[in-house]
Amino acid sequence: YKRQVSTQSTGSYKSFVQPIYDEYKEPVYQFNKPGDRKKIQKEILRASQAINEAKAILIVAGAGLGIDSGLPDYRDTTGFWEDFPPAKANGMKYSDFARDEWYKTDPQLAWGFATHLVKMYRDVTPHEGFDILLQICKSKKNWFVMTSNVDGEFQKAGYDPNLIYEVHGSQVAVYATQEV
């Protein structure tokens, strides 16, 4: 675990995180020194106790969660859009497809890409981390998921769809807004 967390930030993020850093006097996740194994075990125990004592659980998830299920990262230049031959051939990025204009200027390309995403998301199997988080949620009376993911993995893993907010919507189903 060689992850280092920067204490340099601005705005509300800093006001939220600063008390944590003040308590530790060093980044929380900096485990790369002698004796770190005990430090990690202590932090895992502390997290476990906090979860056990919590009255509610809020899971806030992003693209990193889907990577362990085999979904490529869509933010870098080697993400899943490169698996879509027309995108790879034209050097296009996901952001190039994330505009409605493609459905007007090149509907075949746009719908081809949308279909590619839908198939990939429908075929994915959520990894065991989803099950672990679900068991934690079920141990509480109140829980909720807020995710920027559009892949539907939480629903596939058995989470109550009424307790999931998909910030960017869902790409699991495709609907035509008008007859073509």
Side-chain angles (χ1 to χ4, degrees), residues 61-63 71 74 80 94 117-118 121 147-153 155 166-173:
L71 295 174
Y74 68 89
F80 60 67
Y94 178 81
L117 294 181
V118 170
Y121 292 148
T147 180
S148 61
N149 296 346
V150 296
D151 54 28
E153 281 192 277
Q155 292 89 334
E166 294 170 307
V167 176
H168 299 300
S170 176
Q171 193 93 37
V172 176

Side-chain angles (χ1 to χ4, degrees), residues 125-145:
T125 300
H127 61 80
E128 68 179 327
F130 284 93
D131 295 330
I132 293 167
L133 289 172
L134 182 57
Q135 293 310 311
I136 292 170
C137 288
K138 286 183 174 181
S139 74
K140 303 295 175 185
K141 183 177 179 181
N142 298 306
W143 60 271
F144 195 78
V145 174

